Amino acid sequence: MSNFTVDVLQIRDSSFNIGLKMGRYIRNKPILKVLESITKPKIDFGIMKSIYSTFAPHLLEEIEGLSQGLEIPLNKAKSLFSGYDVPKTEAMGCSAIITKEFYVRNYDFSPDLYDGLFSLVQPITAFATAGYNLQILGRHDGVNQEGLVAGLHFVSNNDYSKGVSAWTAIRMVLDSCSTTDDAINMLKEIPHSACYNFSLGDKQGNSAVVEASPGKVMVRRGSSPLSCVNHFHDNMLKNKNRMSIENSVKRNNYLLNFKDKNYTHSEMFNNFKDINSPVFFTDYDNLFGTLHTISYSYQDSRILTAIARSNQVLDINFQDWVIGENINDYILQGVIEESS
């Protein structure tokens, strides 16, 4: 058993200054050495810049700020943080349920490859967002000021190619899209590097799962609630699934049982974060332990989030934050207890 912490960071500024402040904040954090060990020292900067210029030009400014904040060359910052042409990640699990009223999700992986950062940022030229950082610039999941919520779910590395990581895609979607349909359209255009599901919901009650591979993108919709785990459902993409999807199928079947139970936002959040829940895992050594639970209620703009085995719940009215009310929490504390 070991202590586990996540820093909470709030920044309202230009994209460059957001990067600058973020760079200064993480300068002595362990995540930098982790990223240096798992990213390539050099990528195709021309292609990376072209993709960013198309989908999120303001993030180029944020990378420049990161470069200056860390006092490292700009090209090194691009390799470390852009999420373009990132080496393969072999395993990752996530479960989400989306209703017309709320979105709830667990993220499962290893604490050794985790930024340990929850950011609320309000750029001048993009939507304000709140979510868990991945590779600093990207996001595991999050919500924006328009009431759009999104999360990633690893499927496989079939047809792996140079492209945009799923976490960078989540950041691009949250920064620029207002609705589920807007997000779908962007995810159809982004060049994906691996096979991922993207779970989406918006304040109009529209939900979808985008099943994305490097070669094809399909969209799955359904009645509320809509579940999303770690395998493709579309017949045209099922051949991209991993050989073993039993755990993913089992979690999906569990989530489908909520169809007629009418859980509230808080009840579903508590179900996901409960250590005895069928969607809470402790196999951290094999990259499958629950690290955080995040949820969002569309009607009252309420974020509820907590990290592993924590009694501390971060409860945020995000619209209040957007209009200038900062929150008081600066660190989340939890515990990693591995399965025997």
Side-chain angles (χ1 to χ4, degrees), residues 39-60:
T39 56
K40 297 180 179 179
K42 186 176 181 180
I43 59 174
D44 190 320
F45 302 115
I47 295 178
M48 172 260 158
K49 183 177 180 180
S50 176
I51 293 170
Y52 268 65
S53 296
T54 300
F55 297 104
H58 65 284
L59 292 181
L60 291 171

Side-chain angles (χ1 to χ4, degrees), residues 97-137:
I97 193 165
I98 317 137
T99 75
K100 294 183 181 299
E101 293 79 31
F102 56 78
Y103 174 107
V104 184
R105 159 183 152 88
N106 274 0
Y107 174 70
D108 311 305
F109 199 45
S110 166
D112 296 331
L113 299 169
Y114 189 62
D115 287 17
L117 186 62
F118 182 88
S119 294
L120 300 100
V121 297
Q122 189 169 40
I124 294 172
T125 57
F127 292 141
T129 63
Y132 285 90
N133 296 52
L134 178 50
Q135 206 178 350
I136 302 300
L137 196 80

Side-chain angles (χ1 to χ4, degrees), residues 281-293:
F281 297 92
T282 58
D283 194 6
Y284 298 98
D285 285 343
N286 291 311
L287 309 181
F288 207 93
T290 299
L291 295 174
H292 68 247
T293 303

Side-chain angles (χ1 to χ4, degrees), residues 91-98 103-108 134 139-141 149-156 166-167 170 194-200 208-212 220 226-232 241-242 248 251-252 255 272:
M92 189 184 295
C94 311
S95 306
I97 193 165
I98 317 137
Y103 174 107
V104 184
R105 159 183 152 88
N106 274 0
Y107 174 70
D108 311 305
L134 178 50
R139 298 292 186 268
H140 295 279
D141 36 45
V149 61
L152 59 81
H153 307 250
F154 177 69
V155 173
S156 75
W167 45 96
I170 290 286
C195 296
Y196 274 83
N197 285 324
F198 295 89
S199 51
L200 304 167
V209 172
V210 174
E211 301 189 348
R220 176 165 61 89
L226 185 64
S227 61
C228 185
V229 283
N230 299 100
H231 63 278
F232 288 146
N241 287 330
R242 284 172 279 183
S248 184
R251 283 181 283 127
N252 191 64
L255 296 177
F272 269 57

Side-chain angles (χ1 to χ4, degrees), residues 17-275:
N17 283 335
I18 288 172
L20 182 71
K21 293 175 180 178
M22 184 73 75
R24 290 172 176 168
Y25 190 81
I26 65 172
R27 185 178 292 176
N28 298 313
K29 301 290 186 182
I31 187 61
L32 284 178
K33 290 185 178 180
V34 173
L35 292 178
E36 287 179 350
S37 70
I38 63 175
T39 56
K40 297 180 179 179
K42 186 176 181 180
I43 59 174
D44 190 320
F45 302 115
I47 295 178
M48 172 260 158
K49 183 177 180 180
S50 176
I51 293 170
Y52 268 65
S53 296
T54 300
F55 297 104
H58 65 284
L59 292 181
L60 291 171
E61 298 174 25
E62 189 168 322
I63 292 174
E64 290 180 11
L66 280 164
S67 168
Q68 293 202 20
L70 288 166
E71 299 180 354
I72 60 175
L74 179 56
N75 281 348
K76 182 175 182 180
K78 290 176 181 177
S79 297
L80 283 175
F81 307 117
S82 71
Y84 176 75
D85 193 14
V86 178
K88 295 177 182 179
T89 300
E90 293 303 327
M92 189 184 295
C94 311
S95 306
I97 193 165
I98 317 137
T99 75
K100 294 183 181 299
E101 293 79 31
F102 56 78
Y103 174 107
V104 184
R105 159 183 152 88
N106 274 0
Y107 174 70
D108 311 305
F109 199 45
S110 166
D112 296 331
L113 299 169
Y114 189 62
D115 287 17
L117 186 62
F118 182 88
S119 294
L120 300 100
V121 297
Q122 189 169 40
I124 294 172
T125 57
F127 292 141
T129 63
Y132 285 90
N133 296 52
L134 178 50
Q135 206 178 350
I136 302 300
L137 196 80
R139 298 292 186 268
H140 295 279
D141 36 45
V143 62
N144 70 16
Q145 69 184 62
E146 299 296 292
L148 176 69
V149 61
L152 59 81
H153 307 250
F154 177 69
V155 173
S156 75
N157 285 315
N158 278 306
D159 300 330
Y160 193 87
S161 66
K162 291 182 180 180
V164 174
S165 67
W167 45 96
T168 299
I170 290 286
R171 178 70 189 277
M172 290 176 171
V173 162
L174 291 175
D175 279 16
S176 304
C177 298
S178 299
T179 66
T180 294
D181 286 342
D182 290 344
I184 289 169
N185 290 334
M186 179 174 281
L187 289 168
K188 285 180 176 179
E189 297 298 323
I190 289 175
H192 300 282
S193 62
C195 296
Y196 274 83
N197 285 324
F198 295 89
S199 51
L200 304 167
D202 64 27
K203 66 182 180 182
Q204 286 78 35
N206 300 313
S207 60
V209 172
V210 174
E211 301 189 348
S213 73
K216 187 179 293 293
V217 176
M218 305 299 290
V219 180
R220 176 165 61 89
R221 298 181 187 265
S223 58
S224 178
L226 185 64
S227 61
C228 185
V229 283
N230 299 100
H231 63 278
F232 288 146
H233 288 231
D234 192 279
N235 288 330
M236 298 184 69
L237 291 174
K238 283 184 177 180
N239 65 326
K240 308 300 181 186
N241 287 330
R242 284 172 279 183
M243 291 294 292
S244 176
I245 60 171
E246 287 84 358
N247 181 287
S248 184
V249 171
K250 183 177 180 180
R251 283 181 283 127
N252 191 64
N253 289 337
Y254 171 73
L255 296 177
L256 292 176
N257 287 330
F258 288 106
K259 183 174 182 180
D260 300 315
K261 293 187 178 180
N262 297 317
Y263 272 40
T264 66
H265 172 214
S266 296
E267 288 171 339
M268 190 68 78
F269 171 76
N270 288 330
N271 179 284
F272 269 57
K273 73 181 285 290
D274 187 338
I275 60 174

